[in-house]
Amino acid sequence: MAGLTEQDIRSRAYLLWEMAGQPAGQMDTFWYKAEKELIAERKEQGDVPSYLPNLAAG
């Protein structure tokens, strides 16, 4: 199982931020969205332990 790292989240958050036009002051928004997306993707692949919160549901 590949663990979800801070670097994974940072890279996705940066990509999301760029795609949104690089808005200022929304770091947390993109960080949490990136984390949510990555967890959902890895759960679909069976790559995240079931004890992690279901952040993709919200």
Side-chain angles (χ1 to χ4, degrees):
M1 172 190 324
L4 184 61
T5 67
E6 185 176 324
Q7 185 59 44
D8 294 332
I9 300 167
R10 181 179 291 119
S11 296
R12 177 66 65 93
Y14 185 79
L15 177 66
L16 293 170
W17 173 75
E18 283 189 320
M19 290 171 39
Q22 304 176 352
Q26 297 183 27
M27 178 182 71
D28 289 346
T29 301
F30 291 107
W31 183 272
Y32 293 122
K33 182 175 181 172
E35 185 177 42
K36 188 175 175 179
E37 286 182 5
L38 289 168
I39 288 173
E41 288 172 10
R42 292 184 183 200
K43 277 191 174 185
E44 284 178 16
Q45 299 168 358
D47 226 6
V48 176
S50 59
Y51 61 81
L52 285 177
N54 188 4
L55 299 176

